[in-house]
């Protein structure tokens, strides 16, 4: 029997009324839709808990075995005993694993108010029974069909009597007793076995095909002899012309009492695919984290002067996404991930202008000023909480429209929960253990069998989210070689690894057992509940589903370099029974802890480069920001990786001169920041470009070219490439063109000249890149998966209000005037109300009142009046648990509480 002993309540409301406050808090926490808005009393709470939408949401959050238990109750008699439920779950032969796990599953169903009643009278709430019970339109997951009574409801009395007689039972006087007799035969194991022993072999073959479902079959108007034998004895009953069904009682006999072919009382084990040194995992993850920071920074620098245009329907065009992928040197799906990550962190948004474009936000500049580890924490926490799902980009929505990066339709409310759960499973593994991906997916499917909405030939949404989580966590640097890093563990709020022992899968006890609540939480970020337990091996593949950059450069797919020597014995450690979402200060504390662990692993920025004779500079590591910005203007990036190679070209040197630097400035800059002497070719290049820079001056006429050397102007006019510019001489040293100055500048530069723009006063214009920023923007809000879980303060207030409201609704009252009709509040006259209030002030008694607030909402309350004056009564309101003042004219009725 179940360890829980319950009385026999007559309704769900009575069952809830018998609960203590901690049990009610557990209900409201697991089903937050019940507390929005706060119910007035327990009767309203029970009514809300039985609505179809709320029940469906609760069923979706059950694990597979709890759901199988609910499905078994849906096909059991109502009410059912614990023993009959155990028989349906474990079968006639019994199953120790099922018997051990059933109390936990039943406790879960009771806690979520899906089942109520004592062990001798278990009742599934009516709405859940309607959803899970079998019907021709919605077959039961158990594969069982209707009972004999349900299937025979439309049959003629004569046909029912024929079936009873053929089955060897005495005829009865009415159909009800005939159906009862047939049901008794089919539920008597020995008698039904004797009847089936007489069946032809072909008839038994038909029953074996229907026994595990679907229980429906097709027959012709003139069925074969073996089918006629089954029909004549009620072993198959007609439900519609040409359709027959196997009655539930017969199917359960053939199944040896089991409602499910394969009960799954225990969650699938999450097994490791590989084990690496914890030091290697942390170093690899730190390299990925640094690459993530560099990639996001490079993306925003690419869009610094205004990024791609916003499509009319929102989002990036396919062409712009391809350009971004080329600029970042990654695949398009990976580029889409980085774009969405920057958007989720609030670093990029649309500028809102008429010609709307994407650009960095002011928050990006603040982000750049933070230490690298803190910048990474901001990205990682944004990813954990985001409901936008980059993996969907390129697919189709319900209206067959392409889903684009930064566009609508990418929010999936289950994404934060799945990310959190996958990382929690990694946290339960030993340090350095990379899980097998398929075992993770199997675990998630066990924990939420109804979530995801699988379509034919397509993996369910939760499984795809889990695969994307593994890949994205590797790209972001939360994991290294598929294993959770130390800074990733700290970000989740999991306790640090301590103790020593064996590797996962080598004798460690399982992380989750029959008594473990394996239900995942529904939000990103984690904190651990009190009480630890030993954990061992867990799931996930040894690497991400898709490739990503590793430390110092891009990688595709596999783990970072290393070999079998990396594998070390894994320490056993303790993890909490459940990692729950972090919020507020706890989230900040976890982020600070992760930053402290990550900071020593990130490379220190350098203040020097190595100049080479081939007009290149090698940065052997990350550069300090001022040096990187200046070098980015003076040279072009040729290759990236562990070391970045910059190349000096005439165009890049001219770019630096256009930005206001002089040749002397550039020589000094290179000499100060190079560990090698400045090569002669580079010095000659700077001097040569500087000597020619600015000899030609371009201004606005529409545009003109001015030069003190008329021979140079003659050379330009004679050049065939200048024909498109339509130049004409205005004076020996001045040429004019109908084009604007920018077009003229580009044209002359394309011809190999080095013109400089000048102002109307003749001064050289310094061309510094102007960073384009959007107005202040907030990061996109995640789309919640239903109402958010209530915090402890809200739970305490809600339970207090529900208890007080229930007290007001159920407390016996002395009758006053005529009894109310139709459930309306009883009414008293103003004089009676005032007199009763004044008397209660003198005696200190509590009163029941009917009250209508300013919005017209009526409620019942129990108050203890302390003062009546000026048309108001002041008293302690038991419903609100505070002293309140009520206008007397809004009190519809008043009554003294009964003496008992």
């Amino acid at each position: 029997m179940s360890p829980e002993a319950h009385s026999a309540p007559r309704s769900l409301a009575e069952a809830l009324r018998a609960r203590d406050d901690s049990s009610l808090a557990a209900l409201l926490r697991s089903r937050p839709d019940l507390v929005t808005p706060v119910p007035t009393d327990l009767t309203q709470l029970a009514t809300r808990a039985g609505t179809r939408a709320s029940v469906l949401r609760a069923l979706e959050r059950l694990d597979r075995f709890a759901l199988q238990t609910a499905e078994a109750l849906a096909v059991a008699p109502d009410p059912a005993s614990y023993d009959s439920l155990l028989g349906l779950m474990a079968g006639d032969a019994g199953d120790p694993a099922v018997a051990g796990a059933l109390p936990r599953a039943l406790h879960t169903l009771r806690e979520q108010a899906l089942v109520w009643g004592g062990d001798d009278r278990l009742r599934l709430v009516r709405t859940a029974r309607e959803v899970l019970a079998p019907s021709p339109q919605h077959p039961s997951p158990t594969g069982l069909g209707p009972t004999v009574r349900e299937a025979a409801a439309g049959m003629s009395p004569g046909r029912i009597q024929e079936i009873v007689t053929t089955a060897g039972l005495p005829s009865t006087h009415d159909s009800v007793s005939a159906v009862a007799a047939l049901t008794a035969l089919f539920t008597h194991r020995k008698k039904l076995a004797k009847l089936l022993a007489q069946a032809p072999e072909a008839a038994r073959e038909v029953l074996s095909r229907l026994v595990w479902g679907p229980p429906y079959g097709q027959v012709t108007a003139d069925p074969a002899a073996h089918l006629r034998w089954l029909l004549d004895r009620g072993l198959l009953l007609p439900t519609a012309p040409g359709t027959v069904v196997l009655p539930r009682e017969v199917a359960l006999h053939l199944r040896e009492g089991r409602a499910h072919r394969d009960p799954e009382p225990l969650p699938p084990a999450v097994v490791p695919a590989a084990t690496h040194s914890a030091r290697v995992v942390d170093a690899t993850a730190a390299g990925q984290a640094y690459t993530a920071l560099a990639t996001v920074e490079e993306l925003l620098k690419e869009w610094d002067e205004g990024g791609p245009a916003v499509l009319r329907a929102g989002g990036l065009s396919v062409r712009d996404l391809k350009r971004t992928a080329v600029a970042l040197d990654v695949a398009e799906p990976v580029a889409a991930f980085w774009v969405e990550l920057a958007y989720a962190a609030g670093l990029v948004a649309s500028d809102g202008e008429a010609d709307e474009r994407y650009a960095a936000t002011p928050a990006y500049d603040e982000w750049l000023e933070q230490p690298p580890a803190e910048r990474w924490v901001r990205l990682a926490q944004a990813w954990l909480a985001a409901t936008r799902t980059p993996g969907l980009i390129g697919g189709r929505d319900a209206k067959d429209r392409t889903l684009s990066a930064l566009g609508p339709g990418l929010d999936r409310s289950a994404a934060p929960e799945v990310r959190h759960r996958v990382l929690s499973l990694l946290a339960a593994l030993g340090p350095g253990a990379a899980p097998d991906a398929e075992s993770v997916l199997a675990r998630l499917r066990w924990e939420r069998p109804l979530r995801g909405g699988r379509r034919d030939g397509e993996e369910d949404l939760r499984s795809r989210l889990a695969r994307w989580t593994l890949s994205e966590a590797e790209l972001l640097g939360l994991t290294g070689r598929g294993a959770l890093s130390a800074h990733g563990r700290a970000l989740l709020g999991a306790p640090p690894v301590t103790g020593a022992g064996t590797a996962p899968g080598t004798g460690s006890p399982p992380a989750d057992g029959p008594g473990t609540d394996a239900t995942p939480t529904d939000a990103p970020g984690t904190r651990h509940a009190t009480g630890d337990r030993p954990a061992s091996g867990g799931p996930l593949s040894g690497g991400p589903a898709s490739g990503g950059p590793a430390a110092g450069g891009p990688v595709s797919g596999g783990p970072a370099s290393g070999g079998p020597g990396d594998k070390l014995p894994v320490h056993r450690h303790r993890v909490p029974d459940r990692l729950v979402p972090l919020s507020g200060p706890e989230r900040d504390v976890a982020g600070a802890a992760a930053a402290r662990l990550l900071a020593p692993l990130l490379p220190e920025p350098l203040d020097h480069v190595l100049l080479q004779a081939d007009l290149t500079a090698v940065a052997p590591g990350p550069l300090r920001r001022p040096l990187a910005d200046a070098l980015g203007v003076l040279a072009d990036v040729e290759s990236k990786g562990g070391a970045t190679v910059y190349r000096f070209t005439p165009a890049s040197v001219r770019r630096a001169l256009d930005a206001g630097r002089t040749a002397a400035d550039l020589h000094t800059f290179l000499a100060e920041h190079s560990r090698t002497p400045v090569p002669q070719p580079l010095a000659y290049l700077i001097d040569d470009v500087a000597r020619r820079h600015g000899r030609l001056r371009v201004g606005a006429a529409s545009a003109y070219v001015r030069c003190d050397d008329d021979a140079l102007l003659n050379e330009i006019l004679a050049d065939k490439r200048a024909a498109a510019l339509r130049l004409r001489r205005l004076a020996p040293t001045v040429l004019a063109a109908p084009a604007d100055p920018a077009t003229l500048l580009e044209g002359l530069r394309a011809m190999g000249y080095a013109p400089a723009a000048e102002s109307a006063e003749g001064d050289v214009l310094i061309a510094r890149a102007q960073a384009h920023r959007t107005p202040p923007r907030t990061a996109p809000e995640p789309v919640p998966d239903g109402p958010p879980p209530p915090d402890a303060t809200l739970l305490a207030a809600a339970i207090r209000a529900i208890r007080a409201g229930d007290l007001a609704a159920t407390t016996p009252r002395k009758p006053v005037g005529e009894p109310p009709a139709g459930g309306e509040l009883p009414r008293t006259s103003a004089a009676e109300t005032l007199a009763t209030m004044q008397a209660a002030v003198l005696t200190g008694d509590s009163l029941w009142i009917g009250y209508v607030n300013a919005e017209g909402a009526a409620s019942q309350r129990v108050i203890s009046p302390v003062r009546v004056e000026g048309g108001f009564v002041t008293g302690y309101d038991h419903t609100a648990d505070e002293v309140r003042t009520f206008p007397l004219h809004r009190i519809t009725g008043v009554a003294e509480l009964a003496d008992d």
Side-chain angles (χ1 to χ4, degrees), residues 455-479:
R455 294 185 289 180
D456 293 340
E458 183 179 349
E459 196 172 36
D460 64 278
L461 176 63
R462 285 175 62 83
S463 296
R464 288 186 291 152
L465 288 171
R467 291 189 188 276
W468 294 331
T469 296
L470 297 178
S471 174
E472 292 167 3
E474 190 80 10
L475 284 173
L476 193 52
L478 276 161
T479 60

PDB file of all heavy atoms in Angstrom, residues 455-479:
ATOM      1  N   ARG A 455       6.214  15.775 -35.042  1.00  0.00           N
ATOM      2  CA  ARG A 455       5.520  15.571 -36.299  1.00  0.00           C
ATOM      3  C   ARG A 455       6.111  14.353 -37.004  1.00  0.00           C
ATOM      4  O   ARG A 455       7.223  13.927 -36.706  1.00  0.00           O
ATOM      5  CB  ARG A 455       5.635  16.805 -37.198  1.00  0.00           C
ATOM      6  CG  ARG A 455       4.916  18.022 -36.648  1.00  0.00           C
ATOM      7  CD  ARG A 455       4.952  19.168 -37.621  1.00  0.00           C
ATOM      8  NE  ARG A 455       6.284  19.732 -37.716  1.00  0.00           N
ATOM      9  CZ  ARG A 455       6.592  20.748 -38.508  1.00  0.00           C
ATOM     10  NH1 ARG A 455       5.683  21.296 -39.272  1.00  0.00           N
ATOM     11  NH2 ARG A 455       7.830  21.225 -38.544  1.00  0.00           N
ATOM     12  N   ASP A 456       5.372  13.832 -37.997  1.00  0.00           N
ATOM     13  CA  ASP A 456       5.820  12.626 -38.677  1.00  0.00           C
ATOM     14  C   ASP A 456       7.192  12.848 -39.290  1.00  0.00           C
ATOM     15  O   ASP A 456       7.423  13.823 -40.013  1.00  0.00           O
ATOM     16  CB  ASP A 456       4.813  12.234 -39.771  1.00  0.00           C
ATOM     17  CG  ASP A 456       3.479  11.798 -39.188  1.00  0.00           C
ATOM     18  OD1 ASP A 456       3.472  11.437 -38.001  1.00  0.00           O
ATOM     19  OD2 ASP A 456       2.470  11.820 -39.912  1.00  0.00           O
ATOM     20  N   GLY A 457       8.109  11.919 -39.013  1.00  0.00           N
ATOM     21  CA  GLY A 457       9.421  11.988 -39.612  1.00  0.00           C
ATOM     22  C   GLY A 457      10.315  13.082 -39.062  1.00  0.00           C
ATOM     23  O   GLY A 457      11.390  13.323 -39.597  1.00  0.00           O
ATOM     24  N   GLU A 458       9.918  13.756 -37.991  1.00  0.00           N
ATOM     25  CA  GLU A 458      10.707  14.864 -37.452  1.00  0.00           C
ATOM     26  C   GLU A 458      10.924  14.651 -35.964  1.00  0.00           C
ATOM     27  O   GLU A 458      10.027  14.232 -35.240  1.00  0.00           O
ATOM     28  CB  GLU A 458       9.981  16.182 -37.696  1.00  0.00           C
ATOM     29  CG  GLU A 458      10.760  17.400 -37.222  1.00  0.00           C
ATOM     30  CD  GLU A 458      10.019  18.695 -37.492  1.00  0.00           C
ATOM     31  OE1 GLU A 458       9.024  18.657 -38.227  1.00  0.00           O
ATOM     32  OE2 GLU A 458      10.434  19.722 -36.957  1.00  0.00           O
ATOM     33  N   GLU A 459      12.133  14.959 -35.526  1.00  0.00           N
ATOM     34  CA  GLU A 459      12.460  14.839 -34.113  1.00  0.00           C
ATOM     35  C   GLU A 459      11.658  15.861 -33.314  1.00  0.00           C
ATOM     36  O   GLU A 459      11.412  16.970 -33.775  1.00  0.00           O
ATOM     37  CB  GLU A 459      13.960  15.087 -33.934  1.00  0.00           C
ATOM     38  CG  GLU A 459      14.499  14.620 -32.607  1.00  0.00           C
ATOM     39  CD  GLU A 459      16.006  14.705 -32.569  1.00  0.00           C
ATOM     40  OE1 GLU A 459      16.558  15.654 -33.146  1.00  0.00           O
ATOM     41  OE2 GLU A 459      16.631  13.822 -31.972  1.00  0.00           O
ATOM     42  N   ASP A 460      11.253  15.470 -32.109  1.00  0.00           N
ATOM     43  CA  ASP A 460      10.443  16.386 -31.304  1.00  0.00           C
ATOM     44  C   ASP A 460      11.250  17.613 -30.918  1.00  0.00           C
ATOM     45  O   ASP A 460      12.492  17.620 -30.923  1.00  0.00           O
ATOM     46  CB  ASP A 460       9.908  15.675 -30.061  1.00  0.00           C
ATOM     47  CG  ASP A 460      11.021  15.237 -29.133  1.00  0.00           C
ATOM     48  OD1 ASP A 460      11.613  14.177 -29.384  1.00  0.00           O
ATOM     49  OD2 ASP A 460      11.306  15.982 -28.184  1.00  0.00           O
ATOM     50  N   LEU A 461      10.541  18.693 -30.585  1.00  0.00           N
ATOM     51  CA  LEU A 461      11.177  19.987 -30.341  1.00  0.00           C
ATOM     52  C   LEU A 461      12.170  19.916 -29.195  1.00  0.00           C
ATOM     53  O   LEU A 461      13.277  20.460 -29.282  1.00  0.00           O
ATOM     54  CB  LEU A 461      10.103  21.039 -30.059  1.00  0.00           C
ATOM     55  CG  LEU A 461      10.630  22.429 -29.686  1.00  0.00           C
ATOM     56  CD1 LEU A 461      11.426  23.034 -30.828  1.00  0.00           C
ATOM     57  CD2 LEU A 461       9.480  23.350 -29.285  1.00  0.00           C
ATOM     58  N   ARG A 462      11.814  19.253 -28.103  1.00  0.00           N
ATOM     59  CA  ARG A 462      12.713  19.199 -26.961  1.00  0.00           C
ATOM     60  C   ARG A 462      14.017  18.494 -27.313  1.00  0.00           C
ATOM     61  O   ARG A 462      15.087  18.884 -26.850  1.00  0.00           O
ATOM     62  CB  ARG A 462      12.032  18.510 -25.776  1.00  0.00           C
ATOM     63  CG  ARG A 462      11.008  19.370 -25.079  1.00  0.00           C
ATOM     64  CD  ARG A 462      10.291  18.597 -23.990  1.00  0.00           C
ATOM     65  NE  ARG A 462      11.184  18.135 -22.945  1.00  0.00           N
ATOM     66  CZ  ARG A 462      11.590  18.875 -21.917  1.00  0.00           C
ATOM     67  NH1 ARG A 462      11.180  20.125 -21.811  1.00  0.00           N
ATOM     68  NH2 ARG A 462      12.387  18.378 -21.006  1.00  0.00           N
ATOM     69  N   SER A 463      13.956  17.459 -28.122  1.00  0.00           N
ATOM     70  CA  SER A 463      15.184  16.769 -28.519  1.00  0.00           C
ATOM     71  C   SER A 463      16.049  17.676 -29.385  1.00  0.00           C
ATOM     72  O   SER A 463      17.277  17.714 -29.233  1.00  0.00           O
ATOM     73  CB  SER A 463      14.845  15.482 -29.280  1.00  0.00           C
ATOM     74  OG  SER A 463      14.168  14.572 -28.446  1.00  0.00           O
ATOM     75  N   ARG A 464      15.433  18.425 -30.294  1.00  0.00           N
ATOM     76  CA  ARG A 464      16.222  19.346 -31.115  1.00  0.00           C
ATOM     77  C   ARG A 464      16.815  20.459 -30.253  1.00  0.00           C
ATOM     78  O   ARG A 464      17.972  20.854 -30.446  1.00  0.00           O
ATOM     79  CB  ARG A 464      15.346  19.938 -32.220  1.00  0.00           C
ATOM     80  CG  ARG A 464      14.997  18.939 -33.321  1.00  0.00           C
ATOM     81  CD  ARG A 464      14.256  19.603 -34.452  1.00  0.00           C
ATOM     82  NE  ARG A 464      12.919  20.003 -34.045  1.00  0.00           N
ATOM     83  CZ  ARG A 464      12.241  21.017 -34.569  1.00  0.00           C
ATOM     84  NH1 ARG A 464      12.787  21.757 -35.507  1.00  0.00           N
ATOM     85  NH2 ARG A 464      11.029  21.296 -34.142  1.00  0.00           N
ATOM     86  N   LEU A 465      16.037  20.958 -29.303  1.00  0.00           N
ATOM     87  CA  LEU A 465      16.576  21.982 -28.401  1.00  0.00           C
ATOM     88  C   LEU A 465      17.757  21.441 -27.606  1.00  0.00           C
ATOM     89  O   LEU A 465      18.734  22.155 -27.359  1.00  0.00           O
ATOM     90  CB  LEU A 465      15.475  22.460 -27.449  1.00  0.00           C
ATOM     91  CG  LEU A 465      14.377  23.332 -28.046  1.00  0.00           C
ATOM     92  CD1 LEU A 465      13.255  23.540 -27.033  1.00  0.00           C
ATOM     93  CD2 LEU A 465      14.927  24.666 -28.507  1.00  0.00           C
ATOM     94  N   ALA A 466      17.689  20.175 -27.204  1.00  0.00           N
ATOM     95  CA  ALA A 466      18.793  19.585 -26.443  1.00  0.00           C
ATOM     96  C   ALA A 466      20.049  19.474 -27.310  1.00  0.00           C
ATOM     97  O   ALA A 466      21.162  19.755 -26.850  1.00  0.00           O
ATOM     98  CB  ALA A 466      18.388  18.213 -25.914  1.00  0.00           C
ATOM     99  N   ARG A 467      19.877  19.055 -28.562  1.00  0.00           N
ATOM    100  CA  ARG A 467      21.044  18.958 -29.454  1.00  0.00           C
ATOM    101  C   ARG A 467      21.659  20.340 -29.674  1.00  0.00           C
ATOM    102  O   ARG A 467      22.885  20.501 -29.659  1.00  0.00           O
ATOM    103  CB  ARG A 467      20.634  18.344 -30.782  1.00  0.00           C
ATOM    104  CG  ARG A 467      20.241  16.874 -30.709  1.00  0.00           C
ATOM    105  CD  ARG A 467      20.054  16.288 -32.098  1.00  0.00           C
ATOM    106  NE  ARG A 467      19.496  14.948 -32.046  1.00  0.00           N
ATOM    107  CZ  ARG A 467      20.227  13.853 -31.867  1.00  0.00           C
ATOM    108  NH1 ARG A 467      21.537  13.951 -31.696  1.00  0.00           N
ATOM    109  NH2 ARG A 467      19.654  12.656 -31.849  1.00  0.00           N
ATOM    110  N   TRP A 468      20.813  21.332 -29.900  1.00  0.00           N
ATOM    111  CA  TRP A 468      21.329  22.690 -30.090  1.00  0.00           C
ATOM    112  C   TRP A 468      22.019  23.184 -28.820  1.00  0.00           C
ATOM    113  O   TRP A 468      23.016  23.906 -28.881  1.00  0.00           O
ATOM    114  CB  TRP A 468      20.193  23.627 -30.488  1.00  0.00           C
ATOM    115  CG  TRP A 468      19.623  23.308 -31.829  1.00  0.00           C
ATOM    116  CD1 TRP A 468      20.264  22.743 -32.893  1.00  0.00           C
ATOM    117  CD2 TRP A 468      18.277  23.511 -32.269  1.00  0.00           C
ATOM    118  NE1 TRP A 468      19.399  22.588 -33.956  1.00  0.00           N
ATOM    119  CE2 TRP A 468      18.177  23.055 -33.607  1.00  0.00           C
ATOM    120  CE3 TRP A 468      17.137  24.043 -31.671  1.00  0.00           C
ATOM    121  CZ2 TRP A 468      16.996  23.116 -34.346  1.00  0.00           C
ATOM    122  CZ3 TRP A 468      15.953  24.104 -32.400  1.00  0.00           C
ATOM    123  CH2 TRP A 468      15.886  23.651 -33.723  1.00  0.00           C
ATOM    124  N   THR A 469      21.486  22.810 -27.659  1.00  0.00           N
ATOM    125  CA  THR A 469      22.101  23.233 -26.399  1.00  0.00           C
ATOM    126  C   THR A 469      23.517  22.701 -26.288  1.00  0.00           C
ATOM    127  O   THR A 469      24.443  23.428 -25.891  1.00  0.00           O
ATOM    128  CB  THR A 469      21.253  22.748 -25.212  1.00  0.00           C
ATOM    129  OG1 THR A 469      19.971  23.391 -25.259  1.00  0.00           O
ATOM    130  CG2 THR A 469      21.928  23.059 -23.891  1.00  0.00           C
ATOM    131  N   LEU A 470      23.718  21.443 -26.620  1.00  0.00           N
ATOM    132  CA  LEU A 470      25.057  20.866 -26.536  1.00  0.00           C
ATOM    133  C   LEU A 470      26.024  21.595 -27.461  1.00  0.00           C
ATOM    134  O   LEU A 470      27.165  21.884 -27.098  1.00  0.00           O
ATOM    135  CB  LEU A 470      25.000  19.379 -26.890  1.00  0.00           C
ATOM    136  CG  LEU A 470      24.163  18.498 -25.961  1.00  0.00           C
ATOM    137  CD1 LEU A 470      24.162  17.060 -26.469  1.00  0.00           C
ATOM    138  CD2 LEU A 470      24.694  18.552 -24.548  1.00  0.00           C
ATOM    139  N   SER A 471      25.569  21.880 -28.678  1.00  0.00           N
ATOM    140  CA  SER A 471      26.433  22.571 -29.637  1.00  0.00           C
ATOM    141  C   SER A 471      26.712  24.001 -29.205  1.00  0.00           C
ATOM    142  O   SER A 471      27.858  24.473 -29.226  1.00  0.00           O
ATOM    143  CB  SER A 471      25.767  22.549 -31.020  1.00  0.00           C
ATOM    144  OG  SER A 471      26.487  23.324 -31.938  1.00  0.00           O
ATOM    145  N   GLU A 472      25.672  24.722 -28.794  1.00  0.00           N
ATOM    146  CA  GLU A 472      25.836  26.133 -28.432  1.00  0.00           C
ATOM    147  C   GLU A 472      26.638  26.297 -27.145  1.00  0.00           C
ATOM    148  O   GLU A 472      27.401  27.261 -27.001  1.00  0.00           O
ATOM    149  CB  GLU A 472      24.456  26.775 -28.305  1.00  0.00           C
ATOM    150  CG  GLU A 472      23.724  26.877 -29.635  1.00  0.00           C
ATOM    151  CD  GLU A 472      22.246  27.206 -29.482  1.00  0.00           C
ATOM    152  OE1 GLU A 472      21.795  27.413 -28.335  1.00  0.00           O
ATOM    153  OE2 GLU A 472      21.540  27.253 -30.505  1.00  0.00           O
ATOM    154  N   ALA A 473      26.477  25.373 -26.196  1.00  0.00           N
ATOM    155  CA  ALA A 473      27.261  25.453 -24.966  1.00  0.00           C
ATOM    156  C   ALA A 473      28.748  25.286 -25.267  1.00  0.00           C
ATOM    157  O   ALA A 473      29.597  25.916 -24.621  1.00  0.00           O
ATOM    158  CB  ALA A 473      26.800  24.388 -23.975  1.00  0.00           C
ATOM    159  N   GLU A 474      29.075  24.459 -26.245  1.00  0.00           N
ATOM    160  CA  GLU A 474      30.477  24.300 -26.633  1.00  0.00           C
ATOM    161  C   GLU A 474      30.990  25.556 -27.325  1.00  0.00           C
ATOM    162  O   GLU A 474      32.105  26.020 -27.059  1.00  0.00           O
ATOM    163  CB  GLU A 474      30.615  23.083 -27.553  1.00  0.00           C
ATOM    164  CG  GLU A 474      32.030  22.660 -27.833  1.00  0.00           C
ATOM    165  CD  GLU A 474      32.645  21.850 -26.703  1.00  0.00           C
ATOM    166  OE1 GLU A 474      31.908  21.458 -25.774  1.00  0.00           O
ATOM    167  OE2 GLU A 474      33.858  21.619 -26.745  1.00  0.00           O
ATOM    168  N   LEU A 475      30.185  26.126 -28.221  1.00  0.00           N
ATOM    169  CA  LEU A 475      30.592  27.361 -28.891  1.00  0.00           C
ATOM    170  C   LEU A 475      30.810  28.492 -27.891  1.00  0.00           C
ATOM    171  O   LEU A 475      31.742  29.284 -28.028  1.00  0.00           O
ATOM    172  CB  LEU A 475      29.514  27.784 -29.900  1.00  0.00           C
ATOM    173  CG  LEU A 475      29.433  27.010 -31.217  1.00  0.00           C
ATOM    174  CD1 LEU A 475      28.204  27.460 -31.990  1.00  0.00           C
ATOM    175  CD2 LEU A 475      30.683  27.215 -32.045  1.00  0.00           C
ATOM    176  N   LEU A 476      29.975  28.544 -26.889  1.00  0.00           N
ATOM    177  CA  LEU A 476      30.010  29.642 -25.934  1.00  0.00           C
ATOM    178  C   LEU A 476      31.090  29.457 -24.876  1.00  0.00           C
ATOM    179  O   LEU A 476      31.500  30.423 -24.233  1.00  0.00           O
ATOM    180  CB  LEU A 476      28.639  29.784 -25.280  1.00  0.00           C
ATOM    181  CG  LEU A 476      28.321  31.043 -24.477  1.00  0.00           C
ATOM    182  CD1 LEU A 476      28.618  32.298 -25.278  1.00  0.00           C
ATOM    183  CD2 LEU A 476      26.856  31.023 -24.061  1.00  0.00           C
ATOM    184  N   GLY A 477      31.566  28.231 -24.695  1.00  0.00           N
ATOM    185  CA  GLY A 477      32.600  27.991 -23.699  1.00  0.00           C
ATOM    186  C   GLY A 477      32.074  27.569 -22.346  1.00  0.00           C
ATOM    187  O   GLY A 477      32.826  27.576 -21.367  1.00  0.00           O
ATOM    188  N   LEU A 478      30.809  27.186 -22.259  1.00  0.00           N
ATOM    189  CA  LEU A 478      30.304  26.586 -21.018  1.00  0.00           C
ATOM    190  C   LEU A 478      30.845  25.174 -20.861  1.00  0.00           C
ATOM    191  O   LEU A 478      31.040  24.694 -19.741  1.00  0.00           O
ATOM    192  CB  LEU A 478      28.779  26.562 -21.026  1.00  0.00           C
ATOM    193  CG  LEU A 478      28.063  27.838 -20.586  1.00  0.00           C
ATOM    194  CD1 LEU A 478      26.632  27.827 -21.071  1.00  0.00           C
ATOM    195  CD2 LEU A 478      28.102  27.995 -19.088  1.00  0.00           C
ATOM    196  N   THR A 479      31.028  24.497 -21.980  1.00  0.00           N
ATOM    197  CA  THR A 479      31.573  23.151 -21.971  1.00  0.00           C
ATOM    198  C   THR A 479      32.861  23.128 -22.776  1.00  0.00           C
ATOM    199  O   THR A 479      33.087  23.967 -23.651  1.00  0.00           O
ATOM    200  CB  THR A 479      30.577  22.133 -22.562  1.00  0.00           C
ATOM    201  OG1 THR A 479      30.283  22.503 -23.922  1.00  0.00           O
ATOM    202  CG2 THR A 479      29.296  22.092 -21.764  1.00  0.00           C
TER     203      THR A 479
END
